[in-house]
Amino acid sequence: MQTDIKPAKILRSPFFIAMWLTLFLVEIIKGALLVAVLPVYMDNILGLSAGVIGVAFALQYLGDNLFRAPSGWAAERIGFRATMVTALICMLIAVIMILFLKSAFGLSMACLILGIGTSPLWPCAMTGVTAMSGPQNKNGTAMGALEMAALGGTGLGPVGMNWILERTGHDYRMIFLILIGCAILVILVAMILPGRVVTQEGHTGEGVKDGKRAGQKYPAKPNVFTPFVRLQKSVKLTLHRVRTTLNVNPLVYPALFMQSFVIGLLSPVITLYTRTDLNISPNLYSLLLIAGGGITVIALLPVGKMVDRFGTKPFLNIGFLMAAASLFAFSAITSIPVVFGIVMLVGVSYAMILPAWNTFVATLIPKGERGAIWGFFLTLQGSGMVVGPIVSGLLWDHISHPSPFIASAIVMAGLAVVHFVLARKPFRTAPAA
């Protein structure tokens, strides 16, 4: 895979096309399972309790989050293709398990394996795009396109599966067979991905060549313990390089957490709030989601191009403040036409934040360990999605229904302040020339 490619050419590269399709198809499968299929299937068809469903979903996210850093590390050592194909086979196994297993334990294990199977997706995508963008990190366009794939797949999966369920008389076996077919398709697409990461110098300096990295000495005569010795030395070298090369302002870590914590605050209560407090019908709620999500998807690519041209700072400053104001207004206004306008403003703000934030984070990652550090950053960022729903539920039950939205607005305002500081001093010390 060549590096230092102009932003427009990244979108036309074979790697990016394959990665975009992989991301899109995986998000269709995840969106379909987690939003439209599994909650109803486990409750209405299998009669499992809400507690069991919650544990299964928590295991899915746990598998996804915990294995992001290891999968980013593996992508640099064994290549994108082997890492993604191996993981996606796990995803295929998970869907097959969901089709045949009926017990709470079996479905929970299937959800855990599903999470493990999807864990390399974003580390591989971010590592590849960052490597291709070269030293200038002109990757806002590519980041916007990746977010389009993710949001598009997440929306299309539930909508498509609900449509098929209505047409087949809620034949879940047919749904799972379709998802198995999608999983096989995405494995075939992932086989197009490159086998090695190639640096600007034209060698596999960020990956593995002939089973070892430059400068490492392994036993001259391989034996049964050689693979374990190599793995141990490689992990130690990676951890040492991460500690010595990661030179970021400590505020980066809470900022990563806060960015997804906001989404975690909103995700469990947004539907309840619109139904119970705003009295919005299911059909009108669908239009509300289309209004907010649609404008985000449409705006992502042009915003990404502007990020490449003007930098990340203005988009993040405006985006965080606009999101904070919109979320606070959403908690206080009940007029339905005004609510639609507020949701569209939230959509615009997220279209500004998503590609700009990923591009900003990419500038902080040292060249030597892109995969491992991207995985670490994404794991830390994803942890906000674990804590957010718990805090949101407590606020909803014990304070007030609008309180999760007020809390999310406060967090967004805090992110604006943190980013203002980070934009002035992103590193602990001045980066080496």
Side-chain angles (χ1 to χ4, degrees), residues 302-356:
V303 169
K305 291 180 178 180
M306 288 189 287
V307 167
D308 286 333
R309 183 173 181 181
F310 301 109
T312 63
K313 186 176 179 179
F315 295 95
L316 289 175
N317 287 338
I318 296 171
F320 287 139
L321 292 174
M322 182 186 296
S326 302
L327 290 170
F328 183 80
F330 187 82
S331 69
I333 295 174
T334 57
S335 171
I336 301 304
V338 179
V339 166
F340 266 83
I342 293 171
V343 168
M344 293 178 72
L345 284 177
V346 173
V348 171
S349 66
Y350 263 88
M352 300 176 74
I353 292 169
L354 291 174

Side-chain angles (χ1 to χ4, degrees), residues 96-234:
I96 294 173
M97 289 174 65
I98 293 171
L99 172 61
F100 290 104
L101 299 180
K102 310 298 181 185
S103 68
F105 178 79
L107 289 172
S108 296
M109 290 301 99
C111 286
L112 176 63
I113 296 171
L114 176 67
I116 295 171
T118 60
S119 62
L121 195 61
W122 280 104
C124 284
M126 296 301 192
T127 302
V129 168
T130 304
M132 292 175 71
S133 64
Q136 302 301 317
N137 281 302
K138 297 286 187 179
N139 51 28
T141 303
M143 295 296 184
L146 289 175
E147 293 289 355
M148 284 182 66
L151 291 174
T154 302
L156 182 60
V159 172
M161 290 305 108
N162 280 331
W163 185 84
I164 294 173
L165 281 171
E166 290 293 329
R167 297 301 182 276
T168 60
H170 293 80
D171 185 351
Y172 282 93
R173 183 178 181 84
M174 175 64 69
I175 292 295
F176 292 131
L177 290 175
I178 292 172
L179 292 175
I180 288 172
C182 291
I184 294 172
L185 176 61
V186 75
I187 291 171
L188 296 176
V189 172
M191 289 180 178
I192 304 172
L193 292 169
R196 289 286 184 266
V197 181
V198 181
T199 66
Q200 288 175 291
E201 289 75 22
H203 56 77
T204 53
E206 292 180 43
V208 179
K209 187 174 183 179
D210 299 329
K212 65 180 182 179
R213 297 176 68 99
Q216 283 183 275
K217 295 180 180 179
Y218 297 131
K221 294 181 179 180
N223 54 55
V224 68
F225 298 107
T226 298
F228 301 101
V229 173
R230 293 182 178 182
L231 177 62
Q232 182 185 28
K233 289 186 175 181
S234 185

Side-chain angles (χ1 to χ4, degrees), residues 378-393:
L378 290 170
T379 297
L380 181 58
Q381 182 166 295
S383 63
M385 286 291 291
V386 177
V387 181
I390 298 172
V391 175
S392 180

Side-chain angles (χ1 to χ4, degrees), residues 35-96:
V35 178
V37 178
L38 280 181
V40 179
Y41 176 72
M42 295 174 73
D43 182 17
N44 294 348
I45 306 301
L46 301 183
L48 299 176
S49 67
V52 170
I53 297 172
V55 169
F57 277 44
L59 286 172
Q60 187 279 328
Y61 190 81
L62 184 66
D64 190 344
N65 210 37
L66 287 181
F67 282 84
R68 284 183 177 185
S71 62
W73 177 87
E76 287 189 320
R77 270 77 192 164
I78 65 176
F80 292 115
R81 185 191 309 123
T83 302
M84 284 302 309
V85 169
T86 302
L88 293 174
I89 289 173
C90 291
M91 185 182 72
L92 173 62
I93 292 171
V95 180
I96 294 173

